[in-house]
Amino acid sequence: MRQLRYREALREAMFEEMARDERVFLMGEEVGHYQGAYKVSEGLLEKFGERRVVDTPIAEAGFAGVGIGAAMAGLRPIIEFMTWNFSFVAFDQIISNAAKVHQMSAGAIQVPIVFRGPNGAAKQVAAQHSHSCAPFYTNIPGLYVIQPSTPRDAKGLLKSAIRSNNPVIFLEGETLYGVKGEVPDEGVEELIPIGESRLVRPGSDCTIVTWGRPYYTVLAAAEKLSAEGIDCEVVDPRTLRPLDTRLMVESVKKTNRCVVVHEHWPYGGPGAEIVDQVQREAFDYLDAPLERVTGLDVPMPYALNLEDKVLPTEERVIDAVKRVAYAS
Amino acid sequence: MMVMRRFEEEAARNYAKGKIGGFLHLYIGQEAIAVAVAEVLEERDYIFQTYRDHGIALARGMSATAGMAELFGKDTGCSRGFGGSMHFFDVERGFLGGWAIVGGHLALAAGTAFKSKYTGEDSVTVCFFGDGSINIGGFHEAMSLAGLWKLPVVFVCENNQYAMGTPLERTSPLKDLSIKAKGYGMVGDRFDGHDVEVVQARINEAVERARTGGGPTFIEVLTYRFRGHSMSDPAKYRTSTELEQRKQQDPIAVVREKLTGLGVQESVLDDIDLEVDEEIDEAVRFADESPPAREDLMMSTVMAPEGES
């Protein structure tokens, strides 16, 4: 299998789906002539033209709403938020319109739309540009929420998101765009189903559930723990709504321990939801309370030494695993 | 217009009886605008409205039974009891909804217009909203994009003088809202909304402009609602003198006078009124006797079914 960067995998997904279906178009700030603020859409304008790669003014509520209206009328828009931080000014469009109209119209209107862009902290971009947004969107019935960790998942899930008949929140990662990983060869089409978790690393001593940027922190921590004789099994939910708990529950029944590692704030969100579901479904198998390693409960500071404290670290993951394994 | 009027009078009665819940915003006094727009539009066109949406839905051809059953929260309603008064839908007739967040649906209307332009169809979108919408960001962003991309959409501001209970002079420094059009690079128009023929002619100009590639129009229609903002509003912020003055221009009375002036017999018009009364009585009976909204659809309609579409 070839190696692709995360951003290239996303670009391929959009390229293939736009070539396949005339109804698919990309709209957002700097997606066309600028070639994408993070170069995810590089080359798409040249291939598909201004009709289908639409640069917008800075007006997230406006173009999110235009996308929703276009989807209601039968198109399949991909709306790029330059970062998910800017989606907050379009929150009403997503919550009150995209997520509601299917049921509000008793199923008469579908909204096949993908909202995508980088989510979470980058590096030293401070409080307003570092939001990890999954908790906001996973709370809302009427939306799918996907947060892929690897290039392969990014491509396969974005293709499924574009083909979905529902509004999809697609949370990428600015720090993940340059990450390389295996992606099926050209001509091999892979659609990864929405709502399926993935066993990342088999192990027997402790289950770690993680996704997004901390996925890589966890894998590094698992290697170190392995050297100390603690063998971790890692599960990536990939889709956060609907949440597939099957693999994590099976894993916990085997390891009897679980640590959930995520970038978002600790209050609520998919991290807390996973703890709730796993403890109920695997209660009799648990040898320790579930632990969470999360982004700290503070707005993101600018200074690097502080930012490093806020985001989940290998050290905090290792400590948490040792605590549930009573190995510290 | 008589169907709308009697439909809403009956809705108000049934609200008082507890048959209808939630919010109920009546269109009484503004009917000429909806009738004129429905008259001008083609089947392939799209319409968006605020939560004051019964009038345009009926004008577009929704049956009084489907509308009344929706108010009663029944499975036979136009949104099968999931929408209620504020969220009527009739997709087959291009009526894409009543929307209940002020300013939130204007961008959706720009979106269906975007689709028309994208696919090269000559369909047009008409988007209604009130004078209460003009200060919120959703208005500005939708108008900006529609103007920038010359989308085939007509924005119809039904200026009924009050944003809930606040009169226009306390929400806008402008007396003439239509001058806002210029700032968005689109044509503006402004006229009285009590004469259905006037409204029809002027809306038609804007719709034709949109249909033939001339871009969007922002229209301010001056109108007045005879009831409060919603059923809980006794409208104490205006005087009874003002209300009585405005009722002199009741669009239904205006059209009746015109018709009799043209030689139509009073008895012919009275017969129409009686027919409408029967139609609305039947709608109430139908709504009352209809089965309730279905519990099994509650979970199954959260997400659309997947698969080719």
Side-chain angles (χ1 to χ4, degrees):
Chain A
M1 231 184 281
R2 59 196 171 125
Q3 295 271 320
L4 276 188
R5 290 188 196 282
Y6 189 96
R7 72 157 56 77
E8 293 163 343
L10 292 166
R11 184 186 306 144
E12 273 197 2
M14 290 196 284
F15 187 96
E16 289 173 15
E17 293 307 304
M18 287 176 75
R20 174 182 174 270
D21 186 347
E22 176 83 11
R23 298 171 300 175
V24 180
F25 66 94
L26 174 66
M27 175 181 274
E29 293 153 3
E30 313 289 8
V31 296
H33 290 276
Y34 192 86
Q35 305 291 324
Y38 295 97
K39 302 293 174 260
V40 175
S41 60
E42 193 169 50
L44 292 180
L45 175 70
E46 285 66 28
K47 172 68 182 173
F48 296 103
E50 285 185 335
R51 179 172 152 265
R52 299 183 65 198
V53 181
V54 186
D55 280 324
T56 69
I58 300 168
E60 279 82 5
F63 66 77
V66 166
I68 296 163
M72 288 168 59
L75 298 183
R76 304 182 83 86
I78 305 167
I79 301 297
E80 177 173 313
F81 290 124
M82 190 182 289
T83 82
W84 273 96
N85 302 289
F86 312 150
S87 75
F88 302 160
V89 296
F91 216 38
D92 176 56
Q93 287 298 330
I94 298 172
I95 297 175
S96 300
N97 297 347
K100 296 298 188 296
V101 68
H102 184 259
Q103 180 166 90
M104 219 158 66
S105 68
I109 296 175
Q110 298 187 348
V111 187
I113 190 168
V114 177
F115 298 100
R116 51 154 290 273
N119 167 65
K123 190 172 181 183
Q124 287 195 274
V125 293
Q128 294 186 326
H129 279 70
S130 299
H131 292 97
S132 195
C133 298
F136 309 135
Y137 293 107
T138 47
N139 193 239
I140 301 163
L143 300 177
Y144 291 144
V145 181
I146 296 171
Q147 190 167 351
S149 310
T150 66
R152 183 175 186 167
D153 286 345
K155 183 176 177 186
L157 279 161
L158 183 54
K159 284 170 72 78
S160 294
I162 293 167
R163 293 191 199 183
S164 169
N165 297 328
N166 287 288
V168 179
I169 303 295
F170 200 88
L171 305 170
E172 301 160 6
E174 190 190 323
T175 59
L176 301 182
Y177 281 142
V179 168
K180 274 189 168 177
E182 285 190 337
V183 174
D185 291 330
E186 275 178 67
V188 180
E189 182 160 88
E190 181 175 58
L191 290 162
I192 297 174
I194 295 170
E196 282 192 13
S197 58
R198 180 169 69 90
L199 180 66
V200 179
R201 181 190 198 280
S204 54
D205 298 329
C206 178
T207 303
I208 307 180
V209 179
T210 191
W211 62 93
R213 177 177 179 164
Y215 172 95
Y216 296 95
T217 313
V218 163
L219 289 184
E223 285 308 307
K224 289 187 180 162
L225 285 160
S226 176
E228 294 184 44
I230 301 176
D231 188 19
C232 291
E233 180 149 297
V234 179
V235 176
D236 180 351
R238 303 194 289 188
T239 301
L240 301 175
R241 184 186 186 95
L243 184 64
D244 169 24
T245 55
R246 198 174 30 94
L247 284 180
M248 41 190 108
V249 169
E250 275 173 28
S251 176
V252 171
K253 285 181 177 175
K254 183 176 69 179
T255 64
N256 314 114
R257 294 167 169 84
C258 184
V259 174
V260 183
V261 185
H262 55 79
E263 184 181 332
H264 72 73
W265 285 313
Y267 197 116
E273 181 66 24
I274 288 167
V275 170
D276 172 60
Q277 293 199 31
V278 169
Q279 64 83 21
R280 274 186 293 113
E281 291 177 49
F283 186 73
D284 289 339
Y285 296 85
L286 285 171
D287 284 346
L290 282 85
E291 284 249 4
R292 279 199 290 160
V293 176
T294 77
L296 297 186
D297 203 15
V298 295
M300 183 64 80
Y302 161 74
L304 189 57
N305 63 314
L306 300 179
E307 181 175 87
D308 285 345
K309 285 276 179 210
V310 172
L311 295 170
T313 58
E314 282 178 37
E315 193 184 6
R316 281 164 62 200
V317 174
I318 289 168
D319 286 350
V321 170
K322 285 184 175 173
R323 276 196 301 276
V324 299
Y326 304 112
S328 47
Chain B
M1 280 196 264
M2 282 309 296
V3 173
M4 293 181 209
R5 181 69 57 96
R6 292 283 174 264
F7 178 93
E8 291 204 317
E9 287 171 348
E10 210 48 51
R13 268 181 219 115
N14 282 280
Y15 190 86
K17 285 187 201 167
K19 295 273 186 186
I20 298 170
F23 295 131
L24 184 71
H25 308 88
L26 303 181
Y27 194 62
I28 291 175
Q30 305 181 209
E31 292 95 336
I33 307 166
V35 164
V37 168
E39 192 60 31
V40 163
L41 292 184
E42 305 286 342
E43 248 178 56
R44 60 187 180 281
D45 295 333
Y46 300 107
I47 301 173
F48 288 83
Q49 174 61 292
T50 64
Y51 43 82
R52 203 177 298 284
D53 60 353
H54 315 142
I56 185 64
L58 295 168
R60 188 66 173 174
M62 179 188 289
S63 70
T65 51
M68 195 63 77
E70 187 59 32
L71 298 182
F72 277 56
K74 297 300 182 74
D75 185 49
T76 50
C78 60
S79 306
R80 305 192 71 172
F82 283 92
S85 166
M86 300 188 287
H87 307 299
F88 276 22
F89 287 91
D90 191 348
V91 175
E92 279 174 24
R93 293 181 175 84
F95 179 56
L96 297 188
W99 299 84
I101 304 294
V102 169
H105 64 297
L106 276 73
L108 303 182
T112 53
F114 180 89
K115 180 258 184 177
S116 300
K117 191 168 183 182
Y118 184 91
T119 55
E121 298 162 8
D122 71 346
S123 47
V124 170
T125 299
V126 172
C127 181
F128 294 94
F129 49 93
D131 48 296
S133 301
I134 58 163
N135 296 300
I136 201 163
F139 169 86
H140 175 61
E141 295 195 22
M143 294 281 285
S144 298
L145 295 178
L148 174 67
W149 293 330
K150 297 194 169 25
L151 300 177
V153 54
V154 180
F155 293 107
V156 179
C157 177
E158 295 184 274
N159 177 0
N160 63 17
Q161 319 297 328
Y162 293 92
M164 199 167 156
T166 308
L168 188 64
E169 67 262 23
R170 290 206 285 123
T171 62
S172 171
L174 303 176
K175 279 206 169 114
D176 176 357
L177 302 180
S178 70
I179 65 169
K180 282 178 177 280
K182 193 167 186 186
Y184 298 107
M186 62 179 80
V187 178
D189 198 2
R190 182 174 198 253
F191 49 85
D192 274 329
H194 61 273
D195 182 335
V196 69
E197 286 183 295
V198 171
V199 183
Q200 185 180 342
R202 301 286 275 273
I203 294 276
N204 191 52
E205 277 178 36
V207 167
E208 279 314 300
R209 183 179 304 117
R211 205 181 299 289
T212 53
T217 306
F218 174 64
I219 294 174
E220 178 189 6
V221 189
L222 299 163
T223 185
Y224 199 81
R225 60 170 153 74
F226 297 162
R227 302 295 184 100
H229 166 71
S230 67
M231 292 306 291
S232 59
D233 170 23
K236 288 182 175 167
Y237 42 81
R238 61 189 184 191
T239 63
S240 55
T241 318
E242 175 183 310
L243 180 60
E244 288 314 312
Q245 252 173 14
R246 291 291 189 151
K247 281 188 173 173
Q248 299 305 307
Q249 292 193 318
D250 183 336
I252 294 179
V254 169
V255 81
R256 198 176 171 105
E257 202 179 315
K258 268 196 186 185
L259 289 170
T260 49
L262 290 168
V264 178
Q265 296 292 315
E266 286 280 355
S267 64
V268 173
L269 297 174
D270 291 344
D271 285 348
I272 293 175
D273 289 353
L274 284 174
E275 267 177 51
V276 171
D277 285 349
E278 277 174 30
E279 183 182 342
I280 301 303
D281 286 349
E282 171 53 28
V284 171
R285 189 165 48 245
F286 174 85
D288 209 20
E289 290 169 3
S290 284
R294 278 170 49 180
E295 229 176 286
D296 62 306
L297 290 180
M298 196 163 59
M299 299 307 285
S300 67
T301 56
V302 175
M303 307 306 294
E306 294 295 352
E308 289 302 315
S309 79

